Amino acid sequence: MSKDDGADEVAVRMRMLQQSFDAFDEAAAALLGLNRTDLRCLDLILAKDPMSAGELTTAAKLSPAATTTAIDRLERAGFVTRNRDATNRRRVLVSATEAAHAVEREVYGPVGEAGTMALRRYGKDQLAVIIDFLETAHRVQEEQTARLKGLPVRE
């Protein structure tokens, strides 16, 4: 691609979008009295409710001890409960509380509604291009995350 094909502008806009996501997450975490890791864990739990502690460890890419600490804080905040799995007593299931679902509706519901409204200006073909772009951007981010994990840590 040449420099004037718009790719550079897309890259700038993607960076701005990422910064806006970060600012929103920071504001949401502050509103809820959580840190960003706990907010990410809560989001993962809300997306797959209930979720085992081990699944949360994997999804959040945390150590088991860090996951336990995050669950402890979310439980104290009233956003999750822990219960033994009825079919495997060694397994702990973490479930979102009604308070967590209320927060999800209050904080994230309006974002989804505003996004849906904003996307109504696009036709079906344009939405297909947007979806393709988002899938491509997601894949690129995952590839670049893997690349960074393969580099030696700077000291």
Side-chain angles (χ1 to χ4, degrees):
M1 295 186 142
S2 65
K3 288 283 186 189
D4 63 353
D5 65 0
D8 289 345
E9 181 65 20
V10 170
V12 168
R13 298 298 176 145
M14 285 295 294
R15 188 174 203 162
M16 291 169 60
L17 179 62
Q18 180 61 51
Q19 291 168 354
S20 72
F21 289 156
D22 287 344
F24 184 88
D25 285 348
E26 190 68 37
L31 176 72
L32 302 175
L34 300 175
N35 65 45
R36 296 279 298 273
T37 298
D38 293 353
L39 181 67
R40 187 165 44 101
C41 288
L42 181 59
D43 183 49
L44 291 165
I45 294 163
L46 284 164
K48 187 181 186 291
D49 189 12
M51 161 180 252
S52 76
E55 290 170 328
L56 181 58
T57 294
T58 301
K61 297 174 179 63
L62 297 172
S63 69
T67 301
T68 298
T69 300
I71 294 169
D72 287 345
R73 286 190 299 255
L74 289 169
E75 192 172 41
R76 278 194 304 274
F79 294 132
V80 302
T81 59
R82 285 186 252 223
N83 297 295
R84 295 267 176 219
D85 186 334
T87 59
N88 180 352
R89 300 287 299 156
R90 293 174 296 167
R91 186 173 174 205
V92 173
L93 294 177
V94 183
S95 300
T97 63
E98 179 49 41
H101 288 288
V103 160
E104 181 180 34
R105 289 187 299 272
E106 175 190 352
V107 174
Y108 296 100
V111 174
E113 291 169 15
T116 298
M117 292 293 290
L119 289 171
R120 287 195 177 132
R121 67 183 238 190
Y122 298 103
K124 187 175 180 180
D125 290 344
Q126 291 172 309
L127 289 172
V129 171
I130 292 169
I131 290 167
D132 180 65
F133 169 76
L134 292 172
E135 289 171 349
T136 300
H138 182 247
R139 179 182 45 76
V140 167
Q141 283 297 108
E142 287 184 338
E143 290 168 357
Q144 293 304 308
T145 299
R147 179 187 62 81
L148 288 180
K149 288 182 177 181
L151 295 175
V153 176
R154 295 183 184 178
E155 301 203 25

